[in-house]
Amino acid sequence: MTGSGSRRRVAVYDAYWPTAGGGEAYAAGVAEVLSRDHEVTLLAHDAVDTGWMGERLTADLSRVAVQVVDPTEPLVATTAGFDLLVNLSYRDHGRCGAARGVYVVHFPDQPGGELRPWQRALVRSGRRWARPSLRVDAVRGLHRSDLIRWQEVHWTNGHGVLRVHGQAGGVEPITLWFGRYVPGGPERQIGVLVDGEVVAEGTLSPPRSKRDLIDPFSLDIVVPGRPGGALVEIHSDSDVAHEVLGNGDRRRLGVPLVAVTRGHGWRRHVLGRASLLAADPTDTTWLDSYDRIVANSPFTQRWIERWWGRTSTVLEPPVRLREPAAKDPIILSVGRFFAPGRGHAKKQREMVDAFARLVRTGLAPGWELHLVGGCDPHDHAYLDEVRAAAEGLAVTIHIDASGAELDALYRRASVYWHATGLGEDVDADPVRAEHFGITTVEAMSAGAVPVVMAAGGQPDIVRDGHDGFVFRDLDGLVAVTAQLVGDPDLRREMSRAAIARAQEFGFERFAERVQALVAPLLEPEASDR
């Protein structure tokens, strides 16, 4: 299973290519490096304009191909036939189907961390008696599970396919349970086929009472017990959730499958109404399908060990070093506009407040603040809030800036701010911190002095008092910035140190480390396992 000569077939997977954010810059860097010697395919769920994305991320993607895959198709199936899979998709739990696999962790998800306390109690109680003896595998057409109340919900895309392994030598009575969580409330016509033949039909109706919410719709079928299992197809109408509800969910949703049970006993009824009893949200065995786990920073590495109990190799993201230029009185910050409470929010509103304090106290005469980043539609209200706070101040907001515009701002900026994690308990919720900080290194390479939050991966980059400063609260941000603004000699000294530090994270160093990481996995004897 090899390419021609020494060239290998490599898949680089990221579910979020079109966002062209920091994670995608990392993924594009891996693709660029590996495309120098191998046949690289980007696996995506939407069409990818490699020219636009390459310009946006400053990456050479001219040698890569793109394969658009159904998001409900199991990764193990879509990557079969590749010599190597590099999975860089944030919090993806897909199993590797390639001959060899590398799993890159931007930040781990805590097993079971999304559960509420009462849901965790439900899972713990179910472990004593509710583990299903029936084996059911998703073949295609089912999205990654959601948790809704007491149910583990697997939405189909309108054509979900399961492989059910019944008892050998006979037929198995099976019940399919469907929650009444239909987007927009329309009825759904359901048809179930076993090995291509229609065996059941029914209508899933929206809930008419609170009782209906805990009383799922069920269809009873029988499946033959044969080696390899029987294929069970679930056909239904479907809609794109956002087009019905306007909730930002772009998935095509058919019907919500909440449980598959066997037999006719009382456990069947209990599990049909509370499938979390049989769920295992703490499972991390999908990691076993990968040969290497890679962390994007020492900070992330520590949390991989803490939450997953796994060892990993640190490979910092690639950074496209910028050329320093003459500096202007500009403070720059780069990052997506996230509403508070959403992931590692970049804290643009707090930075505007800090800049307002500098202006009011007369500590930064003639200085400007520039905020650069993208913004999803459901975060526009937050962007409007930042704009309102910036009225009357020398604050410029750049939404979806081009690569050339961003490069010019990096070159002109004298100070760089990064406030992710400000005001957060990052030990209790480390997702709130910046996991590495590509933009910080980019700014340093252009000679901007970094002033960054003392949390997450930022202190691994910025050595406080040597090539930048760290702060712990808004007062610290204002005080350190005032010191830099008022002391040109200090700025120049720190700028030189920041440029030197940034060289340690340059692209060619990253390329050398990527090649050293994958070389043992792409040896002929390694790939033909």
Side-chain angles (χ1 to χ4, degrees):
M1 190 168 60
T2 67
S4 59
S6 62
R7 293 177 65 82
R8 300 284 174 157
R9 297 190 63 232
V10 178
V12 178
Y13 172 54
D14 187 319
Y16 310 103
W17 286 116
T19 66
E24 289 65 54
Y26 193 148
V30 169
E32 176 180 340
V33 171
L34 296 182
S35 71
R36 295 173 180 176
D37 301 306
H38 304 287
E39 298 172 10
V40 173
T41 300
L42 308 186
L43 297 185
H45 297 315
D46 300 284
V48 174
D49 182 339
T50 54
W52 170 85
M53 192 166 66
E55 189 275 338
R56 178 75 175 267
L57 301 176
T58 321
D60 179 4
L61 300 177
S62 61
R63 297 179 298 272
V64 306
V66 177
Q67 180 180 338
V68 178
V69 299
D70 188 328
T72 65
E73 185 81 8
L75 189 65
V76 68
T78 58
T79 56
F82 284 97
D83 298 303
L84 175 69
L85 164 66
V86 185
N87 185 346
L88 300 105
S89 194
Y90 184 56
R91 293 193 169 184
D92 178 72
H93 291 183
R95 293 180 179 272
C96 174
R100 285 290 185 262
V102 174
Y103 187 82
V104 177
V105 186
H106 301 295
F107 200 76
D109 49 331
Q110 184 179 15
E114 72 277 22
L115 297 175
R116 297 177 180 177
W118 67 268
Q119 290 175 318
R120 285 195 288 270
L122 197 66
V123 171
R124 285 195 299 270
S125 66
R127 286 176 180 161
R128 302 190 196 101
W129 58 268
R131 278 286 174 260
S133 57
L134 180 66
R135 177 184 164 193
V136 180
D137 300 323
V139 176
R140 59 181 177 275
L142 286 97
H143 295 281
R144 182 177 171 182
S145 65
D146 296 326
L147 298 177
I148 303 178
R149 300 182 179 91
W150 42 84
Q151 300 282 25
E152 184 179 38
V153 181
H154 295 267
W155 287 93
T156 75
N157 65 355
H159 183 194
V161 182
L162 308 170
R163 189 177 300 278
V164 179
H165 300 266
Q167 293 181 343
V171 294
E172 188 87 44
I174 298 297
T175 302
L176 305 175
W177 302 85
F178 301 93
R180 299 183 186 273
Y181 313 120
V182 180
E187 292 185 340
R188 287 280 197 265
Q189 303 301 317
I190 303 174
V192 180
L193 294 75
V194 174
D195 292 338
E197 294 186 10
V198 177
V199 296
E201 295 179 317
T203 302
L204 175 62
S205 302
R208 292 178 293 273
S209 65
K210 291 183 178 179
R211 177 181 176 82
D212 280 352
L213 288 174
I214 60 173
D215 188 20
F217 175 70
S218 63
L219 287 173
D220 295 322
I221 64 174
V222 294
V223 298
R226 66 163 65 97
L231 287 180
V232 176
E233 301 176 51
I234 304 169
H235 294 262
S236 71
D237 305 321
S238 63
D239 290 301
V240 175
H242 178 72
E243 294 176 359
V244 177
L245 303 175
N247 60 357
D249 186 349
R250 303 291 178 178
R251 295 177 300 172
R252 176 164 291 280
L253 303 180
V255 290
L257 180 69
V258 297
V260 181
T261 60
R262 74 189 325 158
H264 301 288
W266 62 272
R267 283 183 175 83
R268 160 184 175 269
H269 292 279
V270 173
L271 293 179
R273 287 159 177 79
S275 57
L276 266 181
L277 286 164
D280 187 8
T282 64
D283 176 54
T284 59
T285 56
W286 49 273
L287 286 165
D288 296 336
S289 65
Y290 294 88
D291 299 275
R292 300 282 189 276
I293 300 175
V294 172
N296 66 349
S297 69
F299 173 69
T300 296
Q301 184 184 49
R302 292 190 289 272
W303 284 97
I304 292 172
E305 174 67 27
R306 181 168 171 177
W307 278 350
W308 291 352
R310 306 274 182 148
T311 59
S312 59
T313 301
V314 174
L315 174 65
E316 288 91 351
V319 180
R320 307 288 178 163
L321 303 181
R322 313 280 172 158
E323 288 293 329
K327 293 301 179 184
D328 293 329
I330 287 176
I331 300 169
L332 175 66
S333 186
V334 179
R336 297 189 68 80
F337 287 78
F338 288 110
R342 281 191 7 94
H344 48 295
K346 304 302 182 181
K347 305 290 182 175
Q348 287 95 342
R349 172 58 197 273
E350 286 81 355
M351 287 188 282
V352 169
D353 291 343
F355 185 72
R357 287 174 56 179
L358 285 169
V359 171
R360 284 196 304 269
T361 55
L363 297 175
W367 281 72
E368 303 172 4
L369 173 64
H370 289 251
L371 303 175
V372 183
C375 184
D376 291 333
H378 46 278
D379 289 314
H380 279 175
Y382 176 67
L383 175 60
D384 291 340
E385 180 184 335
V386 175
R387 282 174 168 153
E391 285 186 8
L393 298 171
V395 176
T396 303
I397 296 174
H398 309 257
I399 299 300
D400 292 328
S402 68
E405 183 181 2
L406 177 59
D407 185 66
L409 285 168
Y410 274 132
R411 288 161 60 84
R412 294 173 58 203
S414 295
V415 176
Y416 185 78
W417 278 359
H418 201 308
T420 300
L422 178 63
E424 306 283 359
D425 184 349
V426 297
D427 190 60
D429 191 359
V431 172
R432 303 292 185 189
E434 186 63 50
H435 310 144
F436 174 66
I438 290 176
T439 61
T440 297
V441 180
E442 288 179 328
M444 292 170 70
S445 72
V449 181
V451 180
V452 302
M453 184 65 194
Q458 294 287 280
D460 294 324
I461 299 170
V462 178
R463 297 170 297 188
D464 189 33
H466 180 69
D467 41 42
F469 292 100
V470 301
F471 64 90
R472 289 171 173 76
D473 52 32
L474 212 59
D475 289 341
L477 173 59
V478 172
V480 169
T481 304
Q483 181 184 1
L484 280 170
V485 167
D487 190 339
D489 290 337
L490 176 62
R491 283 205 312 276
R492 282 192 290 270
E493 178 185 349
M494 285 283 186
S495 177
R496 287 192 293 268
I499 293 170
R501 174 63 169 163
Q503 307 309 304
E504 300 177 29
F505 303 98
F507 188 83
E508 286 310 315
R509 182 174 182 274
F510 170 80
E512 292 171 1
R513 298 186 65 197
V514 169
Q515 290 164 343
L517 177 72
V518 304
L521 303 179
L522 292 177
E523 293 296 329
E525 61 272 15
S527 292
D528 295 329
R529 69 179 180 184

